[in-house]
Amino acid sequence: EDHPVSLRVDADLPDFPFDVVQLDQLLTNLLENAARFSPPGSPIHVSGERADGRARIEIIDRGPGIPVGDRERVFEPFVKGADPLGGTGLGLAIAKAIVGSHGGRIWIEDSPAGGTTVVFELPIEADT
């Protein structure tokens, strides 16, 4: 509630197969992390687009960012950054497991305005 959230989903992004409960958990974990590590009042942007036969979703925050050397490690269980709220270090590990169970991948990129961009891609079934 302390962060304005913007949502942009391309009109050509088709429906794609996923477990609704797991996708809800995935997005909850990623949005909670974005809010936890961003200054109060800073925006969080969520976007969805079609990219190379996959659904590409980005969550962009204005937090301190994640050093390049830690970007793969933060997806391991119980690995925590400088979390002022004392999280367990499971949110990104769970996110990675959910994305992987759907045949996708997840990673972290730099954000243009500073912060972190978490990107995940999920396969889109071929049109029939």
Side-chain angles (χ1 to χ4, degrees):
E1 66 186 38
D2 293 334
H3 300 274
V5 176
S6 66
L7 176 64
R8 182 191 56 79
V9 177
D10 287 352
D12 70 341
L13 183 63
D15 291 339
F16 53 93
F18 60 85
D19 179 291
V20 175
V21 173
Q22 289 184 355
L23 190 64
D24 177 63
Q25 184 65 57
L26 168 65
L27 292 171
T28 297
N29 288 2
L30 297 178
L31 289 168
E32 284 179 350
N33 272 4
R36 176 180 288 140
F37 290 101
S38 297
S42 63
I44 296 171
H45 302 285
V46 180
S47 66
E49 64 183 3
R50 183 181 201 142
D52 298 322
R54 299 173 80 75
R56 178 184 171 102
I57 312 299
E58 296 183 352
I59 293 89
I60 303 168
D61 68 41
R62 296 274 178 88
I66 298 173
V68 173
D70 290 338
R71 290 183 182 172
E72 289 186 33
R73 200 171 71 78
V74 295
F75 289 105
E76 297 173 12
F78 306 112
V79 172
K80 300 189 293 185
D83 187 348
L85 301 178
T88 62
L90 286 174
L92 290 178
I94 292 168
K96 182 178 180 179
I98 292 169
V99 170
S101 74
H102 285 81
R105 63 189 191 106
I106 187 169
W107 68 94
I108 295 171
E109 297 180 348
D110 289 324
S111 294
T116 299
T117 298
V118 178
V119 182
F120 67 92
E121 291 182 344
L122 300 172
I124 298 171
E125 286 187 339
D127 296 335
T128 57

